[in-house]
Amino acid sequence: MRFGENFMDEIKTRVRVSDVVGRHVKLKRQGREFAGLSPFTNEKTPSFFVNDEKGFYHCFSSGKHGDAISFFMEVEGLSFPEAVERLAEMAGVEMPKADPKAEERAKRNKKTISWMEQAQIFFEKSLYRDVGGAARDYLKGRGLTKTAAENFGMGFAPNHFSALKDELMQQGASAKMLIEAGLIVEPEDKGREPWDRFRDRIIFPIHDARGRLVAFGGRAMDKEAKAKYLNSPETPIFQKGQLLYNYHRARKAISNPQNGARGMIVAEGYMDVIALSRAGFEHAVAPMGTALTEDQLALLWRAGPEPILCFDGDKAGQRAAFRSVERALPLIRPGQTLRFAMLPDGQDPDDLIKAKGRGAMEEVLNRAIPLVDMVWERELQAEPLNSPEAKAGLKSRIFAALKEIQHDDVRSQYQTVLLDRFDAEFGRQRKPYGGNNWNKAPVRKASPALKATMQSGAIEAAREKRLIGAILEWPGLLERVDETLFELQLASPQAAQMQRALLSYWRVTKAVEKSALNAHITAEGLETLHREFARDRLLIRAAMGGTDAQLDTRTALWMKEADALTGQDQTGDGSDEARTLMADAIRSDNSDALKRRMRASRGDRK
């Protein structure tokens, strides 16, 4: 029984190799891999390794190498269909039913591929005949040897309208089959003969992920040609948005344990891939003249968690990088991201390697920046940030970008990084004070009005603690005060740390629940700090109107505290005596002092 490629990809995606191997071998994690004793030989020192990122196992003692299916076949003596069925069972995927039409399509596609292979033979021979002299000179001028051209199956399409058609039809091909393969063009005028699609072009064979020849790309020799590069059209065996040039070779290269790369290198064109491969970066691929698609990203992530996208350092390259960001954000998840390598302005990998050698290219790759940094650059450069409104716009764009990320945990990490960066770049700069003393006055510039109403640094520290503590006590406040909480520049490191935890919880939660918030704080490693806030629960409740206060009342009191902290509230909270009593109450955590403070704030001197 034949199995479709989509079905095979689905079950391999759902079941890790370590899940299969772990049923027979005791595995122990070693970095990015698992290690264990070989199931194929009798050994005392582990030489058997499993790499889930790359989807293979390798046994150094026996030399055996394969995926989950081949492991079933080796260890349990299953046939290929039986091994697939076992893997599908583990994946929870229903086995496909026999489809006569699919079988017929497979046979026809196999025939089409055979004619593609005959076409490649013709193109390769043409390159080394007299007709290919100019093409050979061009390749030599680009630094390509005959060996390099042969390794990549390169050829030449003569400048003739029927050279390939005549050759293949003499071998028994029909015009209909060659049209379906995209090798010749059917004219709209039915009275005319079909003609060769590729003429006077250097030919690059294009393979699918399984290494089958499915299409060609052609580079024009004529500088005046309308299209510098021409690819095969979409056919039953070729959909350019689902393939990457050189993927079948790159996947083999990256699966080599000695490679060590965390993902493929993605360049712009065929010549860049060939130049990278010849310089030792054999895990290089390229899309077919378009921005990366979701299918192509899936191919990249199947080979490694962190592919590197190479772009020219000019404005056009930057725009192309930003388009890749837009496509990738909804798809990222743990162990599935991108990095971006920006080349010197005006140079592609081929140019750079020729001018400065492999070392220069390696340096560019080593400097590749993470996806989160490219997101920041994209939003930062959207408009000049020369006004408060423009900076607010940047914050809005950050939130919009975060909404594109579908995975909750990844989104939470991105928002922490991006919003911390926003605070560092554009927030009000306040110097935090050290230590765990909440009543020590922070070093900050206060407005004259604020200086007049605050007699002690303890008041400001206490306000910060009450603002954060109130939300810990009543998380529902987040629905009312979230924007103000985000804008607060807290001087206390403890309060600022808990502020970030509250905001990170708020941006991922769908329904505010105290138990969920507490669990989030624990997960953030802030349980001890949480208990420190909880010790002042009595004071915090009283400051927010008591346990029976309505949400509107608590919100108003919370906002008044926030306004006072930022200097916007010029009224204070009562007489000097009341403020002094409040500071004493906070310092002593004394309920009697708190009651005196509350009476003083009401003007009751009893």
Side-chain angles (χ1 to χ4, degrees):
M1 179 180 181
R2 295 181 60 87
F3 301 105
E5 188 173 344
N6 291 338
F7 170 75
M8 297 299 293
D9 289 343
E10 178 71 13
I11 60 175
K12 288 181 180 180
T13 299
R14 291 196 182 195
V15 181
R16 297 174 299 182
V17 181
S18 61
D19 295 331
V20 175
V21 174
R23 295 186 170 198
H24 299 271
V25 179
K26 185 176 180 180
L27 297 174
K28 184 177 180 180
R29 179 172 285 281
Q30 290 188 1
R32 293 183 296 168
E33 297 183 322
F34 294 91
L37 297 175
S38 171
F40 309 119
T41 62
N42 185 16
E43 64 178 7
K44 296 182 179 180
T45 303
S47 68
F48 181 84
F49 295 89
V50 178
N51 190 312
D52 282 332
E53 293 178 359
K54 300 175 182 178
F56 68 79
Y57 66 85
H58 186 81
C59 179
F60 285 94
S61 62
S62 66
K64 292 184 178 181
H65 179 96
D67 58 12
I69 294 174
S70 61
F71 187 82
F72 269 139
M73 295 171 67
E74 286 278 1
V75 174
E76 300 189 13
L78 301 178
S79 66
F80 179 77
E82 289 171 336
V84 172
E85 187 173 359
R86 285 286 301 279
L87 197 63
E89 182 181 350
M90 290 182 65
V93 176
E94 186 177 351
M95 289 285 288
K97 297 179 181 179
D99 183 352
K101 291 184 178 179
E103 292 289 336
E104 182 60 34
R105 284 196 301 272
K107 289 180 181 178
R108 187 170 184 83
N109 289 346
K110 186 176 181 180
K111 188 65 176 176
T112 302
I113 290 171
S114 71
W115 287 118
M116 300 295 289
E117 291 169 347
Q118 291 302 312
Q120 182 183 4
I121 292 172
F122 171 79
F123 291 140
E124 286 182 312
K125 288 181 178 178
S126 297
L127 179 61
Y128 298 103
R129 292 172 175 159
D130 291 343
V131 72
R136 293 196 302 275
D137 290 342
Y138 171 81
L139 294 176
K140 186 177 180 181
R142 295 291 298 263
L144 263 72
T145 63
K146 181 179 179 180
T147 300
E150 288 177 343
N151 287 342
F152 285 88
M154 297 173 65
F156 177 68
N159 191 15
H160 194 285
F161 276 85
S162 64
L164 176 64
K165 183 186 73 170
D166 293 344
E167 175 75 16
L168 297 185
M169 290 186 72
Q170 285 179 10
Q171 296 180 29
S174 67
K176 183 178 180 181
M177 176 62 76
L178 298 181
I179 290 170
E180 185 175 299
L183 294 173
I184 64 176
V185 178
E186 183 178 22
E188 295 181 3
D189 181 358
K190 301 300 182 182
R192 297 182 60 190
E193 288 290 322
W195 61 82
D196 289 359
R197 179 177 300 276
F198 298 101
R199 303 182 307 280
D200 196 24
R201 290 179 181 270
I202 294 173
I203 298 297
F204 301 84
I206 299 170
H207 302 77
D208 65 10
R210 295 164 59 184
R212 299 177 302 179
L213 179 57
V214 295
F216 294 103
R219 188 199 187 281
M221 291 295 296
D222 184 358
K223 295 181 180 179
E224 303 300 322
K226 291 182 179 180
K228 181 178 179 181
Y229 281 94
L230 178 68
N231 293 321
S232 293
E234 300 271 316
T235 70
I237 60 172
F238 174 61
Q239 295 80 43
K240 67 179 179 180
Q242 297 178 10
L243 303 178
L244 291 162
Y245 175 69
N246 199 50
Y247 184 84
H248 66 300
R249 298 187 191 94
R251 183 170 63 176
K252 183 178 180 180
I254 205 169
S255 66
N256 185 336
Q258 296 180 351
N259 183 291
R262 289 181 53 78
M264 292 184 173
I265 301 169
V266 184
E268 184 179 358
Y270 308 127
M271 293 299 293
D272 292 327
V273 168
I274 293 171
L276 284 163
S277 296
R278 295 183 65 217
F281 305 102
E282 296 179 340
H283 52 295
V285 297
M288 258 66 76
T290 61
L292 285 172
T293 66
E294 292 184 12
D295 290 328
Q296 289 168 334
L297 286 169
L299 279 176
L300 291 170
W301 283 320
R302 197 190 308 169
E306 203 171 78
I308 299 176
L309 311 188
C310 295
F311 293 99
D312 194 337
D314 61 13
K315 292 295 184 182
Q318 198 171 68
R319 287 194 297 270
F322 292 163
R323 286 196 296 271
S324 298
V325 169
E326 182 178 356
R327 185 59 57 85
L329 277 181
L331 306 175
I332 57 175
R333 58 181 177 81
Q336 186 169 293
T337 187
L338 298 173
R339 285 198 294 153
F340 294 80
M342 307 308 291
L343 292 145
D345 194 358
Q347 289 189 309
D348 56 30
D350 189 18
D351 297 329
L352 182 61
I353 291 169
K354 282 180 184 174
K356 298 184 178 180
R358 172 193 163 90
M361 188 68 219
E362 190 167 24
E363 184 178 346
V364 168
L365 295 173
N366 290 338
R367 291 200 310 264
I369 65 174
L371 175 58
V372 66
D373 289 351
M374 191 58 74
V375 173
W376 171 258
E377 286 298 320
R378 184 184 69 166
E379 308 311 338
L380 191 69
Q381 296 185 27
E383 64 174 333
L385 300 175
N386 52 13
S387 70
E389 293 82 3
K391 294 172 184 177
L394 170 60
K395 192 195 299 184
S396 295
R397 291 193 299 276
I398 289 173
F399 280 114
L402 292 172
K403 289 179 181 178
E404 294 298 314
I405 302 174
Q406 302 299 308
H407 194 282
D408 292 345
D409 292 340
V410 175
R411 187 191 316 115
S412 177
Q413 293 299 317
Y414 266 63
Q415 63 196 19
T416 298
V417 172
L418 293 172
L419 295 177
D420 281 355
R421 191 170 297 179
F422 180 91
D423 285 345
E425 293 280 346
F426 303 108
R428 288 173 294 161
Q429 301 299 313
R430 297 177 56 190
K431 297 180 181 179
Y433 52 91
N436 295 319
N437 184 357
W438 285 90
N439 301 311
K440 184 178 180 181
V443 179
R444 60 176 280 178
K445 292 184 178 180
S447 66
L450 186 59
K451 288 179 180 178
T453 57
M454 293 181 62
Q455 294 186 350
S456 170
I459 298 297
E460 181 179 4
R463 279 200 175 102
E464 291 188 355
K465 198 168 190 180
R466 286 198 299 277
L467 287 166
I468 297 299
I471 298 175
L472 293 171
E473 185 69 13
W474 299 290
L477 281 169
L478 280 168
E479 297 178 354
R480 305 284 191 91
V481 304
D482 55 340
E483 292 186 7
T484 304
L485 177 65
F486 176 80
E487 293 171 355
L488 289 177
Q489 302 292 314
L490 303 181
S492 159
Q494 296 92 340
Q497 192 173 15
M498 192 61 78
Q499 176 194 33
R500 288 192 293 270
L502 289 172
L503 290 170
S504 66
Y505 164 77
W506 172 239
R507 291 174 191 128
V508 299
T509 189
K510 295 181 180 178
V512 177
E513 295 179 358
K514 192 171 184 178
S515 59
L517 173 59
N518 292 342
H520 176 79
I521 290 171
T522 300
E524 292 286 308
L526 301 177
E527 193 171 9
T528 301
L529 183 58
H530 191 191
R531 286 197 293 269
E532 187 171 342
F533 279 92
R535 282 198 289 269
D536 288 326
R537 186 178 290 120
L538 175 63
L539 303 175
I540 291 167
R541 286 175 176 173
M544 295 295 135
T547 56
D548 297 327
Q550 298 296 313
L551 182 58
D552 287 344
T553 301
R554 288 191 187 122
T555 303
L557 289 169
W558 193 96
M559 293 299 294
K560 186 176 178 65
E561 290 276 15
D563 288 343
L565 182 66
T566 58
Q568 297 179 39
D569 180 5
Q570 305 300 317
T571 63
D573 60 353
S575 66
D576 290 343
E577 180 184 355
R579 288 192 293 273
T580 302
L581 286 169
M582 177 180 176
D584 291 340
I586 295 294
R587 276 193 289 268
S588 63
D589 195 11
N590 187 304
S591 59
D592 290 334
L594 177 63
K595 291 175 183 177
R596 289 196 300 274
R597 179 264 176 198
M598 296 297 288
R599 286 198 299 271
S601 66
R602 295 194 300 267
D604 183 359
R605 297 290 185 262
K606 293 183 180 179

